[in-house]
Amino acid sequence: MSHHHHYHSGNIKFAFFLNLGFTIIEIVGGIFTNSMAILADALHDFGDSVSLGTAWYFDNLSHKKRDKSYTYGYKRFSLIGAIVNALILLTGSVFIISETVPRLFNPQTPDTEGMIWLAILGVIVNGLAVFRLKKGHTMNEKVVYLHLLEDVLGWIAVLIGAIIMHFYELPIIDPLLSIGISLFILFNVFKSLKSVFGILMQGVPQDTNTKEIKKYILSLEGVMEVHDLHIWSMDGDYNVLTAHVVMKGKPSMDDLSPIKKEIHNNLHKFKINHATLEFEMEDEECVLVDC
């Protein structure tokens, strides 16, 4: 979910409206067919609609350039979308599970024929959205593509369940499917929240390696030590680094220039998009308390 490059907003827009329109049909359908599995899958699709919508909105917002209030720009706003979506899915899943558990003990027979038609529609609609995004190359399109693929699999599961219930008297399949889908949603919610909080707590981004970066800077000529090294991420994609670099002797600004340039150029290989370096001389007292 944290995961935002510029993408074809056309495809995202298409998938968003397709999913949203279909979610409404599903909710009505779930109530009429008396199927909790359909409702759980409707929630799954609705969550994906919301994340498509917010990704599209916050992606546009995050292209806003930095200003006086937000000197790092607006990339981090995409995390708000992820949190809102997680809360919606969390509440929805808890509600569905609490409605479904009693049905495990006295299953009600759903309208299996209606379920089959809704599930076929679900496979087709989500299949269309997946097909539109299959060609996407950006990180975001890939993330969205995987989400929609999950939706298709969810509908295939409901379809198989509905067909079995149609031919055999096994109404318990419906609540079992519903709980399975809800647990799957919850699992994804916690995964996404974990990465969001990792970014908010300014954890070291997963795609960077502090040890390697430190080793690289120390390997440069004239560098004695590196301390106060911080790496964090704006939104899961755009990574920022600050460091103090201690130099041998008393280098002038001119001496530092090539090293500075080299570090800045090479940090891109380590997935760092923005670096701020402070140079110190070996016998200089570091201004920081905990150097």
Side-chain angles (χ1 to χ4, degrees), residues 117-266:
W117 285 116
L118 277 167
I120 289 174
L121 196 60
V123 172
I124 292 171
V125 168
N126 286 294
L128 263 177
V130 164
F131 199 72
R132 275 287 295 262
L133 277 161
K134 196 168 172 32
K135 300 173 196 67
H137 300 298
T138 61
M139 168 90 174
N140 221 341
E141 276 180 319
K142 288 196 178 92
V143 168
V144 169
Y145 169 71
L146 286 175
H147 266 292
L148 293 170
L149 204 57
E150 270 171 17
D151 286 352
V152 174
L153 296 175
W155 282 110
I156 291 173
V158 171
L159 182 59
I160 294 169
I163 291 170
I164 294 173
M165 282 188 291
H166 192 67
F167 293 107
Y168 301 99
E169 191 54 43
L170 284 170
I172 187 120
I173 286 180
D174 184 65
L176 285 176
L177 270 172
S178 169
I179 286 177
I181 293 165
S182 302
L183 290 175
F184 178 71
I185 295 173
L186 286 175
F187 169 73
N188 280 339
V189 165
F190 286 119
K191 226 168 60 175
S192 123
L193 282 178
K194 192 178 159 220
S195 79
V196 165
F197 283 113
I199 296 168
L200 288 181
M201 297 304 298
Q202 289 182 304
V204 175
Q206 275 143 348
D207 53 359
T208 63
N209 184 327
T210 320
K211 273 221 273 297
E212 279 181 10
I213 292 175
K214 199 161 183 169
K215 206 169 91 185
Y216 158 67
I217 299 177
L218 283 171
S219 74
L220 298 171
E221 208 188 324
V223 175
M224 280 180 65
E225 69 165 311
V226 178
H227 54 229
D228 202 41
L229 176 67
H230 297 286
I231 307 171
W232 70 98
S233 182
M234 292 315 300
D235 61 350
D237 268 336
Y238 188 91
N239 300 333
V240 183
L241 170 148
T242 61
H244 284 200
V245 182
V246 182
M247 305 298 292
K248 284 196 181 83
K250 288 195 161 60
S252 67
M253 288 293 256
D254 289 340
D255 304 331
L256 291 176
S257 189
I259 285 208
K260 203 185 296 187
K261 203 169 180 170
E262 170 157 350
I263 296 178
H264 278 291
N265 289 343
N266 279 307

